[in-house]
Amino acid sequence: MTGGGSRYDAIVVGGGHNGLVCAAYLALDGLRTVVLERRREVGGMAATHELLPGVRVPALAHTLGRLRPSIVRDLHLREHGLALVQPEVRAWAPQPDGRSLTLWGDAERTAAHLADSGLVSAADARAYADNDGRLRALGSAIAVLMSRPPPDITHAGLGDALDGLRAGLAARARARSEPGGLLRVTPMSVADLLAEWFASDALRAVVAARALQYTSWEPRNPGTAALLLTDTAGNDGGMAGQTVYARGGPGALGQALESAARALGAEVRTGAEVVAVRRSGEAVCGVALASGEEVDAPVVVSGLDPRQTLLRLLEPEVLGPRLGWRAGNIRQRGATGKVNLALGALPAFRGLDGNGTDPRLRGRIVIAPTTTYVEQAARAGKYDRLADAPVLEATIPSLVDPGLVDTRRRRRKAAHVVSVIVQPAPYELRDAGWDAQRQTLGHGVLRTLDAYAPGIAELVEEMQVITPLDIESEWGATEGHALHAEAGLDQWFAWRPLHGYGRYRLPLEGLYLCGSGAHPGGGVTGGPGQLAAREVLADWARRRDRSHA
């Protein structure tokens, strides 16, 4: 089927951060590129929206600590308005009894604090800096694998074999300090890995909670150690994890990427919903929009999740019964919710002075006091229930970026915003009616926070609860999975999203995947968009060379 619509070299479906990254790189190389976004704004789940007049909150993602520095540099995002702020404290983990753990960006400073915390043994405090270095080495090793497309394991040639060997040797060299290296560690559970490093449960719990964020995993599931390594790869997080805010909220990233893409010559259209990929024989020739418009291009790159891309945008005969069955079985069961709060005053946490100057409130506030606590919360989600005591990661971005609350426009006395990622929030609660469960989730978050910040519920001016059903309907992520696909080892590296389709290319010639469901996976990294663009450009150059031969 061919049409007579607008003609481009490449169409990018979806204006999330990965789609914008991909489009910018394609335009940088001279391809006439258009981004087609269904919503009225770009940025996807890394967006900022108004909760009350004059009060803005992060949509889903609230920090940008894993964004690839090479993308910021290559696309000159700072020149396009992106301003990043990294607080000294990366994570603060309060306990119900008023004690707490503080993980600073500096490992030696963290070790000194741990020795005085009353929660961590002297041996663990002494070992912290060394174990931080071990985790960084493993993260650096896995970053080698995440910084390039995986090898073609279905049609491997000599070049793929050599690339794979070089990557493997480089990864092995960086992980040499850890006995067994990546081959031993990645299949482990994060609980077992951390138990080898620390005896103190409170410290193990706060690190494990970071590894499991946005997943439906429990800390004792095999393969969850790999989640911790990938969260550490390519950034300065280490054991504490990375915490970076964008001034103006995470939506500032989408705005900077849009500006960069436009400056490079790409077009960005919002309110343009793609309903089908059009083809001519075995190759793509463009897309069809919900409006009836057809847009032509020999390259289509999808930033949507892999199941949507394969099952909704393609005709069934393109997939055939086997690939259609495999696509329908991609695991992407959402288990994460979000609660945004507008507060009339800064909450008073036990053990802090409450005047807003304490640096611990500027990092991630992690409610995961013990490993058992994390396990029990995850187990509730496993059986499609809300946890009585959920795992929370909260931030107070208005302390770092006061402009999120415009005192001239606000109609209520909101002074601060609090962004809370909550787990579990199982997608399957749709069957019981998420509308009925929405308030239960929100009040459960407030009840949990009240144990650490008494009276916080009385400060609430407005509360927004985002469920996996909302993530599916608002941002198009199937089953509300924020990472587009679960990050188990069977859906990672060359097997993400499916065996045989790990190098961004999909069944039709000219069709690619660039969203979080592609290698190297989810989170606000820009990695899938960057690597997919490289593969598109490599194929484009080969086609051009053949046509000139």
Side-chain angles (χ1 to χ4, degrees):
M1 297 179 295
T2 60
S6 304
R7 180 76 184 182
Y8 297 89
D9 295 326
I11 298 167
V12 176
V13 181
H17 80 282
N18 277 309
L20 292 169
V21 166
C22 184
Y25 275 104
L26 296 181
L28 178 63
D29 209 63
L31 272 65
R32 187 182 177 211
T33 304
V34 62
V35 178
L36 302 175
E37 166 58 42
R38 174 179 63 91
R39 301 174 74 243
R40 292 294 175 184
E41 61 179 357
V42 298
M45 291 179 243
T48 310
H49 64 256
E50 203 164 61
L51 180 60
L52 291 171
V55 179
R56 293 180 295 151
V57 295
L60 192 63
H62 53 201
T63 61
L64 304 178
R66 294 178 60 206
L67 179 65
R68 289 189 170 189
S70 59
I71 293 173
V72 177
R73 181 180 61 252
D74 293 347
L75 303 181
H76 305 287
L77 295 185
R78 288 188 174 88
E79 297 173 20
H80 290 279
L82 183 65
L84 301 176
V85 181
Q86 179 172 266
E88 292 180 289
V89 171
R90 304 293 175 80
W92 179 60
Q95 296 281 315
D97 62 5
R99 295 180 295 173
S100 64
L101 295 179
T102 304
L103 305 185
W104 301 80
D106 181 270
E108 296 292 347
R109 186 175 185 180
T110 300
H113 156 76
L114 295 178
D116 297 330
S117 68
L119 290 166
V120 173
S121 69
D124 280 354
R126 288 193 300 270
Y128 180 84
D130 285 342
N131 288 331
D132 177 78
R134 295 169 74 182
L135 179 59
R136 289 175 185 272
L138 288 165
S140 177
I142 215 164
V144 173
L145 304 180
M146 297 176 68
S147 65
R148 63 190 72 190
D152 185 346
I153 58 178
T154 56
H155 303 93
L158 178 61
D160 291 302
L162 291 175
D163 285 345
L165 178 62
R166 282 192 290 266
L169 290 174
R172 180 182 178 185
R174 296 194 185 193
R176 190 169 291 159
S177 61
E178 182 66 25
L182 293 180
L183 286 178
R184 174 179 177 270
V185 172
T186 51
M188 292 178 67
S189 76
V190 69
D192 288 340
L193 177 63
L194 293 172
E196 288 188 359
W197 291 348
F198 303 111
S200 305
D201 190 53
L203 180 55
R204 298 199 307 248
V206 65
V207 179
R210 171 166 66 92
L212 302 172
Q213 192 172 80
Y214 297 122
T215 78
S216 58
W217 295 96
E218 300 177 41
R220 298 195 183 278
N221 285 148
T224 48
L227 303 178
L228 178 61
L229 303 190
T230 55
D231 192 70
T232 309
N235 62 68
D236 188 38
M239 198 70 70
Q242 187 62 288
T243 304
V244 175
Y245 299 96
R247 291 202 182 278
L253 173 61
Q255 294 168 6
L257 285 169
E258 179 183 13
S259 176
R262 289 185 184 277
L264 292 166
E267 295 182 37
V268 180
R269 293 176 54 184
T270 58
E273 181 181 2
V274 174
V275 295
V277 171
R278 296 166 36 247
R279 66 187 176 97
S280 177
E282 300 301 315
V284 302
C285 62
V287 300
L289 306 185
S291 64
E293 180 185 355
E294 292 183 340
V295 184
D296 294 341
V299 170
V300 174
V301 190
S302 175
L304 309 185
D305 71 72
R307 197 190 298 185
Q308 269 208 79
T309 301
L310 293 168
L311 298 181
R312 185 173 71 85
L313 298 186
L314 297 183
E315 299 165 309
E317 55 266 33
V318 172
L319 300 182
R322 178 169 174 76
L323 182 54
W325 172 78
R326 293 175 63 202
N329 284 285
I330 295 172
R331 289 182 293 103
Q332 50 192 138
R333 185 177 73 101
T336 306
K338 178 74 186 299
V339 174
N340 288 317
L341 303 170
L343 303 183
L346 189 68
F349 284 86
R350 288 196 176 101
L352 302 185
D353 56 25
N355 63 8
T357 61
D358 196 306
R360 286 171 286 187
L361 291 181
R362 286 166 167 74
R364 303 176 341 266
I365 303 168
V366 182
I367 307 300
T370 67
T371 302
T372 299
Y373 181 103
V374 178
E375 289 175 344
Q376 290 176 341
R379 194 166 296 127
K382 177 180 178 180
Y383 294 105
D384 303 332
R385 295 184 288 105
L386 296 175
D388 294 332
V391 173
L392 307 180
E393 181 183 277
T395 61
I396 310 177
S398 50
L399 284 175
V400 178
D401 184 8
L404 292 174
V405 179
D406 186 344
T407 56
R408 298 166 300 177
R409 292 186 56 229
R410 64 182 183 182
R411 296 179 183 173
R412 303 184 196 175
K413 60 179 183 179
H416 284 284
V417 296
V418 177
S419 169
V420 187
I421 296 172
V422 51
Q423 290 188 211
Y427 177 77
E428 279 74 6
L429 279 177
R430 74 191 189 286
D431 298 329
W434 254 117
D435 287 341
Q437 298 291 329
R438 190 182 303 274
Q439 293 304 311
T440 302
L441 179 64
H443 290 304
V445 168
L446 290 176
R447 183 180 62 251
T448 302
L449 287 174
D450 193 77
Y452 304 88
I456 189 172
E458 284 70 40
L459 301 176
V460 175
E461 295 290 320
E462 187 68 34
M463 178 172 69
Q464 177 192 36
V465 178
I466 300 172
T467 74
L469 205 61
D470 299 321
I471 295 172
E472 182 177 57
S473 62
E474 182 68 19
W475 291 287
T478 304
E479 295 190 12
H481 202 299
L483 306 183
H484 284 193
E486 196 62 86
L489 289 179
D490 62 322
Q491 294 187 165
W492 182 76
F493 195 51
W495 294 268
R496 188 172 184 90
L498 292 168
H499 174 74
Y501 296 95
R503 290 174 62 86
Y504 313 100
R505 299 165 182 85
L506 293 177
L508 288 175
E509 182 182 350
L511 180 62
Y512 303 81
L513 189 69
C514 75
S516 291
H519 174 76
V524 185
T525 69
Q530 183 185 49
L531 293 179
R534 291 181 189 173
E535 295 302 289
V536 172
L537 292 170
D539 289 350
W540 184 269
R542 281 191 287 268
R543 284 196 297 268
R544 182 182 56 208
D545 291 343
R546 285 199 304 267
S547 68
H548 292 163

